[in-house]
Amino acid sequence: MTDSNNNSIQDLLLRALALQQEGDLGEAEKHFRQALRQEPRSVPALYSLAAIEHTRKNYPVALRLIDRALKIFPNFTAALDAKAVILRSLGRLEESQSLHLRARTLEQGGGAHGDVETPARRATDGANKLTIDHPKQSLGLKLQEAGDREGARQVFLALIDERPDDFVALYSLAVIAAQLGSPSEGLAWIDRVLKNNPNHAQSQFARGTLLQQMGLFDDALAAFDRANLIDPTYLDAWNNKASLFQTLSREYDAYDCLLQALKHHPRDEKLLHNTGTILTVLKRDTEAIAYFDKLLAVNPKYEYAPGYRFFAKLHTCQWDNYEEERQAIIEAVKRGEPAINPLAFFSLSEDPAEQLKCSQIFAQTKYPVAKGPLWRGEAYKHRKIRLAYLSPDFREHPVGHLMVGVIEQHDRIRFETFGFSLGINDGSRLRTRFRLGFDHFFDCKERTSLEIAQLIRACEVDILVDLAGYTSSARPEIFAMRPAPVQVNYLGFPGTSGAAWMDFLIADNVVIPPGEERHYQESVLRLPCCYLPIDDQVQASKETPTRESMGLPSRGRVYCSFNHDYKINPPIWDLWMDLLREDPQSTLWLMKLNDAAEANLRKEANRRDIDPSRLVFATRVPRVEDHLARYRLIDVFLDTAPYNAHSTVTDVIRAGGTVVTMPGRTFASRVAASYIEHNGATDSAITNNKAEYLEKARRGKKNLPDLQERMSERYGPGLSSAASMATNLEEIYEGVSN
C-alpha cells in the first residue's frame, strides 16, 4: 500500500471517529466502510463498526465484525472485551466470562515483566484517568492496541506537530519506542511527559521500565520508588521493583516490596503469585504454599499456580492429597493447560509424551520465538569453531562440578571457547577454574537478556550450548532471540525444551533409547558414553569419617539417599520404610535441606510404624572431597523415582558406594542407569520393578577395600574422564557445525 493510500485511510478513520464521537453513527459508518473497502484488514474500522452495530442491537452483525478483527489480531484485548460484551448481549454468559478472563490474562503479561503500559490500558483507571479529546488520540490508540505500531506512530507524530505537549501522544511514542527495541528513544519521549507533569505515577513507572531495559538498574529502582511515593497503591511499580531486585539477587528486598504491595492489594493474583515464587527462591516453601493457596482461592485457573504449589509441597515433603493433586496436574497438561513448570513435572510424570507436551506449553507461553531473530542466516568463516556455553552455574554447583573439567580439556586448536555466566560470582576455586578455562569469559549477571543475546551475536558464536534449560536463574529467552546458528540443550535440564528455537539435545542411548526420539522437540544427538561428565581432578578424601562423627549409629546397615527432597515421594518412601521394617538395626541417611522436610519425613516414618530416630539427616560439609568420603560409610544408596539421582550418582559410585535404581521411560528417570551401565559399575543394580528394587537393596553392600584402586583405573584415561568427554562432545559439535 502506498503512503498516499495509507494517509487517505487514516484521514477516513479520523473523520469517522470524530463523527462517531459526535453521535452521527450513520455518517461514521459510511466512512468506516469506505476505509474497509480500501483496506479490508483495517482493525480499527472493524472494531468501530462492531461497536456501532452493537449500539443498534444488531448483535449477530456486531459479532461477525469483531470476529474479523480478532482473526487479524487475536490478542487485541479491547476487541476481546468488546466480543465479551456482545456475547453477553446474546445471552452467552459463560463464553463472555471466559473472554474477559483471557483479556485480563493477556494484560498480565505486561507490567510486571518490564513492559511499559499503553495509555489505553489505564485510560479509565482512577487517578491516571486520561482525557481523550482528539480523534488522532483515539485512532492512534486503536492502531496501537491492534498491533499496528508504525501506523500509530505516524498518527501520534502528526498530533505532536499540532499539540507538542499532548500527553497521550508523547506517552504512546515512548511505549512504541520501547516495543520496537529503542528504550533510549522512549526515555526521551517520557522525559518530555514528566517535564510537564513530574507527579504522574504512570510516567515515572514507564521511565523505570525503560531504564531497566537499558540496564540502568539503580536509576530504574529510583523511578519505581518515585512512582510509589506518588501513588503507594501503584501495583505494577511494586511488582517491577520486586522483579528487578530479584534480578540483582536482592531477594529479601524483593519480598519486602511484595509485602508492601499486598497491604494495598491483598487479593491481587499477580502479587500473590510473585510472593509465592520469591519465597520458594528463599527456600521458605511452607510460607510459599500459603500464598499459592490464596492465589488458587482467588483464581483456580491462574497459570502454573497448581504446579508451583505442588512443587513447594514436594520440597517440604508435605504429601497430603499427593496422588489426587498429581493426577489433576497431569490431566491439566494433557488438556494443554499451563499448569506446571517442566522441571517440577519431572518429579511427578512417568511419561515422556506428557513431559514433551508440558515443555511445549511452557515454551510457547513463556518464551515464544522472537519475531526478529538476531542471527539471520549469515555464514561465518572462522578459523576455529566458536563454541559458547551459557549457564548460571559456573560456580560451586553440581553442574559446575560436572562441566569444569570438560571446559578445561577442550581442544584449543579446533575450538575457541566462550563462557557467558548468568549467575553469581561466589569467589570459589571452581569459579576461578571456569574463568581461566574459557578463552573468553563474560560475567553477564547484571546484563539484560537482550544485551546478552546481542553480545553472543556480536561474538559470532557458531554453537551456543545451554547448560540450564528451565532451571533456577536460567534465561531461555536468550535462545528464543536466536543469537547463534546452532543452539544445543545439554546437561543442566534432563529433558526436552519443547521449544522451536532449540535445535539439538545431547543425550546417550540409555537416557533416550533408540526409537524414543519422537518425545523430544530437538534432534537427539547421542554420545558413546554416559552424557554426564565428571571432574576427574576431584577425588574423595583419603580420610574416612567415623560413623559417630556423622551422627550414625556405630553398628547396623546404613541405607542412604542424598537426593533432593522434592524427588522423594510416597511410593518410594513406602519402599524405604519396608527395608527399615525388615531390618530393625538399619538406618536411613538423608540430606537435610530444610526443617519442614525433616519434620514431615519423621512424621511419615512414624505413620508407617518406623521409629523417626532411625532417620539421620546429614548437613553440608565445606569440601566436596570430604562429602565424597562420607559415602564410604554407606551400605546401599537408594535411588529415587521417577526423578533419579544425577550428579549425586556419579559421586556415590566414584566414592565406592553401591547404587540401586529403578529406571522408567523418561530421561530424568534413566540417568542413574546410564551412569551405572556405561561405566561398568557392576556392584550397583538396575532394577525393573519394586520387588526387584527391594531385593537388590537388601543384598547390596559396601564395595571391597581395593575399590579406590579400581575406581582410579576406571576414571583415569577411561570412558568418563573429562578429556574423553571433551573429545566426544567435540565430535558432535563438529558434526552440527558443518
Side-chain angles (χ1 to χ4, degrees):
M1 183 183 296
T2 65
D3 289 341
S4 60
N5 281 341
N6 192 43
N7 291 335
S8 174
I9 291 169
Q10 288 188 7
D11 290 342
L12 283 168
L13 290 171
L14 285 168
R15 179 59 182 153
L17 286 166
L19 289 164
Q20 189 178 11
Q21 290 173 359
E22 293 167 6
D24 191 347
L25 300 186
E27 284 299 313
E29 180 186 6
K30 290 179 183 178
H31 283 74
F32 282 130
R33 291 200 179 279
Q34 187 177 347
L36 266 186
R37 283 194 291 274
Q38 292 191 41
E39 176 48 78
R41 293 172 59 83
S42 173
V43 173
L46 291 165
Y47 175 86
S48 298
L49 285 168
I52 291 171
E53 295 297 348
H54 184 266
T55 301
R56 294 170 174 168
K57 299 186 178 181
N58 294 332
Y59 304 135
V61 177
L63 184 60
R64 287 196 295 272
L65 288 163
I66 207 68
D67 278 340
R68 284 176 61 187
L70 285 168
K71 187 174 181 180
I72 298 166
F73 288 107
N75 293 336
F76 183 6
T77 56
L80 287 168
D81 281 329
K83 182 176 179 179
V85 171
I86 296 167
L87 289 170
R88 190 184 308 121
S89 299
L90 287 167
R92 294 158 64 176
L93 302 183
E94 188 173 338
E95 294 174 76
S96 173
Q97 186 178 5
S98 176
L99 274 178
H100 272 309
L101 179 61
R102 182 182 166 197
R104 300 294 73 74
T105 301
L106 286 168
E107 287 186 351
Q108 286 170 2
H113 300 284
D115 294 338
V116 186
E117 293 179 296
T118 64
R121 199 178 292 172
R122 282 188 170 264
T124 58
D125 195 14
N128 287 309
K129 186 173 181 179
L130 302 177
T131 301
I132 308 298
D133 59 1
H134 195 289
K136 286 182 180 175
Q137 291 175 330
S138 297
L139 176 59
L141 290 174
K142 286 183 178 178
L143 290 168
Q144 190 178 0
E145 281 285 301
D148 186 358
R149 294 170 183 162
E150 184 55 34
R153 183 173 177 274
Q154 293 303 320
V155 170
F156 289 131
L157 287 172
L159 182 54
I160 289 292
D161 289 340
E162 298 177 31
R163 296 163 51 163
D165 294 330
D166 186 274
F167 171 84
V168 173
L170 290 170
Y171 189 96
S172 296
L173 286 166
V175 172
I176 293 167
Q179 291 170 338
L180 294 175
S182 301
S184 57
E185 180 188 339
L187 190 63
W189 290 117
I190 211 68
D191 282 344
R192 283 180 62 175
V193 173
L194 288 167
K195 183 178 180 181
N196 298 319
N197 189 358
N199 293 322
H200 188 257
Q202 185 181 348
S203 298
Q204 291 288 1
F205 166 77
R207 191 172 195 274
T209 58
L210 289 162
L211 289 163
Q212 186 174 352
Q213 289 177 28
M214 296 168 68
L216 300 172
F217 297 147
D218 288 340
D219 291 337
L221 288 170
F224 294 141
D225 282 337
R226 284 192 290 272
N228 281 132
L229 283 171
I230 296 165
D231 180 3
T233 70
Y234 196 168
L235 180 59
D236 288 326
W238 287 115
N239 260 329
N240 269 37
K241 185 161 65 169
S243 175
L244 182 49
F245 274 137
Q246 190 171 354
T247 299
L248 297 172
S249 298
R250 294 170 59 180
E251 285 84 3
Y252 283 98
D253 288 327
Y255 179 52
D256 184 62
C257 276
L258 295 168
L259 290 183
Q260 293 293 327
L262 281 166
K263 292 178 183 178
H264 304 287
H265 306 277
R267 288 176 57 82
D268 182 81
E269 297 172 10
K270 193 184 300 181
L271 268 183
L272 292 168
H273 170 266
N274 289 349
T275 307
T277 53
I278 196 68
L279 282 167
T280 64
V281 173
L282 293 170
K283 302 189 185 305
R284 293 163 62 175
D285 292 280
T286 301
E287 295 169 76
I289 294 166
Y291 280 97
F292 292 131
D293 283 340
K294 292 177 185 177
L295 170 58
L296 289 166
V298 174
N299 180 3
K301 295 290 187 180
Y302 194 91
E303 285 191 355
Y304 298 105
Y308 278 117
R309 180 180 179 275
F310 189 82
F311 204 38
K313 289 181 69 175
L314 287 183
H315 273 287
T316 61
C317 299
Q318 182 179 323
W319 296 334
D320 56 299
N321 301 317
Y322 171 84
E323 191 58 31
E324 179 184 342
E325 292 177 14
R326 173 180 172 271
Q327 287 298 332
I329 289 173
I330 289 173
E331 291 304 316
V333 169
K334 289 180 178 178
R335 292 192 299 268
E337 297 174 11
I340 189 169
N341 177 304
L343 183 70
F345 198 55
F346 293 161
S347 62
L348 62 98
S349 170
E350 301 174 11
D351 187 332
E354 293 171 356
Q355 292 190 1
L356 171 61
K357 189 161 190 178
C358 179
S359 291
Q360 288 173 332
I361 295 166
F362 195 71
Q364 290 161 9
T365 57
K366 295 283 190 179
Y367 308 105
V369 176
K371 292 180 181 177
L374 294 178
W375 177 76
R376 302 186 180 185
E378 299 89 345
Y380 301 147
K381 295 181 180 179
H382 305 134
R383 187 173 60 86
K384 303 179 183 179
I385 294 173
R386 295 188 179 179
L387 171 64
Y389 292 92
L390 183 75
S391 176
D393 302 323
F394 296 139
R395 57 188 175 91
E396 279 292 335
H397 185 276
V399 170
H401 280 285
L402 292 173
M403 276 303 295
V404 67
V406 173
I407 301 302
E408 292 169 333
Q409 293 294 330
H410 270 314
D411 184 351
R412 295 303 194 271
I413 295 175
R414 293 182 293 152
F415 292 87
E416 183 176 1
T417 59
F418 297 73
F420 295 93
S421 175
L422 306 176
I424 61 170
N425 178 0
D426 61 357
S428 63
R429 183 170 64 93
L430 204 63
R431 175 74 170 197
T432 301
R433 286 179 64 187
F434 275 114
R435 186 169 53 80
L436 298 176
F438 285 106
D439 294 321
H440 313 279
F441 186 82
F442 300 92
D443 188 341
C444 298
K445 186 180 187 311
E446 295 192 7
R447 294 177 185 254
T448 67
S449 294
L450 177 60
E451 286 176 327
I452 298 168
Q454 289 172 333
L455 175 60
I456 293 167
R457 174 64 185 84
C459 291
E460 294 190 351
V461 165
D462 294 300
I463 300 171
L464 180 62
V465 183
D466 183 12
L467 295 176
Y470 298 131
T471 60
S472 177
S473 300
R475 298 209 211 169
E477 65 271 18
I478 292 173
F479 289 83
M481 298 178 203
R482 178 58 73 171
V486 177
Q487 301 189 160
V488 180
N489 172 10
Y490 176 52
L491 188 63
F493 185 74
T496 179
S497 67
W501 35 258
M502 191 63 75
D503 305 311
F504 300 102
L505 168 61
I506 295 178
D508 62 55
N509 65 339
V510 176
V511 292
I512 304 180
E516 292 290 295
E517 296 85 355
R518 66 189 183 281
H519 299 309
Y520 298 85
Q521 179 85 27
E522 307 90 338
S523 296
V524 175
L525 304 171
R526 289 186 177 85
L527 290 159
C529 55
C530 175
Y531 87 106
L532 279 176
I534 63 165
D535 178 15
D536 42 16
Q537 287 192 22
V538 176
Q539 299 292 334
S541 171
K542 292 182 179 180
E543 296 182 10
T544 301
T546 64
R547 289 170 63 127
E548 290 77 11
S549 70
M550 294 291 103
L552 296 168
S554 58
R555 291 191 301 175
R557 196 171 179 77
V558 176
Y559 294 111
C560 172
S561 186
F562 282 175
N563 276 341
H564 276 288
D565 38 33
Y566 65 84
K567 296 183 180 181
I568 305 173
N569 54 49
I572 206 73
W573 189 252
D574 287 337
L575 291 178
W576 296 353
M577 294 301 99
D578 286 345
L579 289 168
L580 294 188
R581 191 176 295 108
E582 291 173 6
D583 182 357
Q585 301 301 314
S586 62
T587 299
L588 178 58
W589 199 14
L590 303 167
M591 183 63 71
K592 181 182 175 75
L593 295 171
N594 63 80
D595 291 336
E598 178 180 347
N600 284 326
L601 287 175
R602 292 192 187 279
K603 188 187 304 179
E604 293 294 338
N606 189 57
R607 202 172 276 167
R608 292 161 177 79
D609 299 322
I610 300 297
D611 183 350
S613 67
R614 294 174 64 190
L615 308 183
V616 176
F617 289 85
T619 55
R620 295 189 180 277
V621 292
R623 297 193 325 139
V624 66
E625 292 86 353
D626 295 329
H627 168 65
L628 295 175
R630 291 193 286 189
Y631 285 119
R632 297 197 195 108
L633 301 177
I634 75 172
D635 289 277
V636 182
F637 184 92
L638 303 173
D639 198 12
T640 46
Y643 200 153
N644 283 178
H646 291 183
S647 62
T648 303
V649 79
T650 72
D651 293 342
V652 177
I653 292 176
R654 292 173 65 202
T658 297
V659 176
V660 176
T661 188
M662 184 167 50
R665 294 182 55 220
T666 65
F667 189 131
S669 72
R670 300 180 63 81
V671 174
S674 173
Y675 198 78
I676 292 168
E677 184 171 323
H678 282 107
N679 290 287
T682 55
D683 304 304
S684 293
I686 301 170
T687 65
N688 296 313
N689 53 58
K690 292 178 181 179
E692 190 176 346
Y693 181 98
L694 287 172
E695 179 192 353
K696 296 293 185 182
R698 293 186 197 105
R699 293 168 51 192
K701 59 183 180 180
K702 279 181 267 194
N703 289 325
L704 300 173
D706 67 344
L707 175 132
Q708 284 300 310
E709 181 179 343
R710 291 191 289 117
M711 295 299 290
S712 177
E713 293 172 359
R714 184 185 300 160
Y715 295 103
L719 196 58
S720 284
S721 70
S724 63
M725 178 63 81
T727 299
N728 289 330
L729 285 169
E730 286 162 4
E731 289 181 8
I732 282 179
Y733 295 147
E734 286 184 316
V736 299
S737 67
N738 295 329

